[in-house]
Amino acid sequence: HLKEFAIGDRVALVLQPNIKNKGYPYITYHGISGSVVEKRGRAYRIEFHDKDKKKWVIVNPVHLKRL
């Protein structure tokens, strides 16, 4: 059920509410798209732009969808 992503892949955060674990991001980030920057254990660090700011979030791959 775990997905694999490569560095640089474009992904969207699609939160799965039935799977709440350490890699569950804040609900505000549902629906954003960004790129995979690095892998941290089983999770991935995703970078995205919020207006002018560059932000990042660490997410379990269950909550990611490839674009």
Side-chain angles (χ1 to χ4, degrees):
H1 194 230
L2 293 180
K3 306 169 195 165
E4 292 289 329
F5 298 97
I7 305 297
D9 281 355
R10 297 282 298 164
V11 293
L13 267 72
V14 182
L15 302 184
Q16 303 296 327
N18 58 338
I19 303 173
K20 293 195 176 182
N21 48 22
K22 288 185 177 181
Y24 191 79
Y26 195 68
I27 191 73
T28 306
Y29 299 125
H30 176 74
I32 66 158
S33 60
S35 58
V36 176
V37 177
E38 70 176 292
K39 185 171 182 176
R40 291 194 179 184
R42 285 182 292 194
Y44 291 93
R45 180 177 163 178
I46 309 300
E47 277 191 357
F48 60 95
H49 289 282
D50 185 14
K51 298 184 183 175
D52 296 349
K53 292 184 178 181
K54 183 185 280 189
K55 296 184 177 181
W56 57 271
V57 64
I58 297 174
V59 183
N60 194 301
V62 176
H63 306 291
L64 296 175
K65 181 179 177 183
R66 190 180 317 268
L67 294 178

